[in-house]
Amino acid sequence: MSVAICPGSFDPITLGHLNIIRRTAQIFDKVVVCIMFNSTKTTPMFSVEERVEMVRKVVERIPNVEVDTADGLLAEYAKRYEGAVLVKGLRAASDFEYEFQMNLINKKINPSLETMFLTASEKYTFLSSSVVREMARYGADLSDFVPCEIIDDVEKKAQLWRH
Ligand code: PNS
């Protein structure tokens, strides 16, 4: 059985993430969406539990997608699934530089771990969780940015952050 791991902080999951997850689910037998900690980012807007709940709501109708969390190194986590491949989305050259470095670090820790990249769909190349957080804080319409199942969750959290 072919297994893909789609790792990320998903703070929150965006339509761009969902596009990559759907496309990965068409290529691999099983996809594990792994919600992780990114030490280069500031305090997350959503707790891990909230992010898990949101990702679950969004992927529940894709039968071969599971949601998991991990707080250690991604390359160590991937050892749980024999032959698993990391799948990540690439939006721009700037993503490539970061991902290229991550791939080298992951390979140092787990030499048999492969990473594959899917190019982001053109309509989502501008999109990131940080853009969503910023738009939400200013009360913007989020329907072009996050899956409809979680718009309320993001708006509610943004309201709390405004007060
Ligand atoms: O969605 P993001 O924030 O771009 O995802 C980045 C993530 C969470 C995949 C990355 O920070 C990560 O792999 N974190 C786990 C810790 C790790 O393995 N770091 C790489 C070695 S320094």
Side-chain angles (χ1 to χ4, degrees):
M1 185 171 69
S2 60
V3 179
I5 299 170
C6 288
S9 35
F10 301 102
D11 185 39
I13 184 168
T14 69
L15 285 172
H17 290 131
L18 180 58
N19 177 264
I20 297 291
I21 294 167
R22 277 191 207 285
R23 287 160 61 200
T24 306
Q26 283 169 358
I27 302 168
F28 290 83
D29 296 322
K30 172 167 146 173
V31 179
V32 181
V33 177
C34 188
I35 297 165
M36 304 197 77
F37 179 67
N38 182 339
S39 57
T40 65
K41 292 187 177 166
T42 52
T43 318
M45 185 173 196
F46 296 91
S47 69
V48 171
E49 293 74 22
E50 289 168 329
R51 286 182 263 158
V52 168
E53 205 179 303
M54 287 190 288
V55 175
R56 286 222 165 101
K57 272 195 233 177
V58 167
V59 301
E60 76 178 351
R61 278 194 288 276
I62 317 175
N64 57 335
V65 177
E66 288 175 14
V67 184
D68 197 7
T69 62
D71 57 11
L73 288 169
L74 175 58
E76 292 292 349
Y77 172 82
K79 289 178 183 169
R80 293 184 198 181
Y81 300 93
E82 212 196 320
V85 171
L86 300 181
V87 176
K88 294 185 159 195
L90 273 188
R91 289 164 300 191
S94 51
D95 275 352
F96 177 78
E97 268 178 50
Y98 171 77
E99 294 298 349
F100 192 73
Q101 185 193 15
M102 280 297 133
N103 171 57
L104 293 177
I105 297 167
N106 288 336
K107 273 233 174 257
K108 266 233 161 325
I109 303 164
N110 180 352
S112 65
L113 180 60
E114 296 295 352
T115 303
M116 292 182 183
F117 297 100
L118 293 183
T119 47
S121 163
E122 196 190 350
K123 57 186 176 187
Y124 301 129
T125 43
F126 69 94
L127 189 52
S128 66
S129 296
S130 56
V131 163
V132 170
R133 293 194 299 271
E134 184 78 354
M135 299 295 274
R137 275 186 195 127
Y138 291 102
D141 174 11
L142 299 179
S143 52
D144 283 342
F145 308 132
V146 297
C148 55
E149 296 88 342
I150 66 157
I151 290 179
D152 277 358
D153 299 311
V154 179
E155 284 178 350
K156 274 190 196 129
K157 178 68 83 172
Q159 269 169 19
L160 290 176
W161 277 51
R162 280 201 289 270
H163 294 302

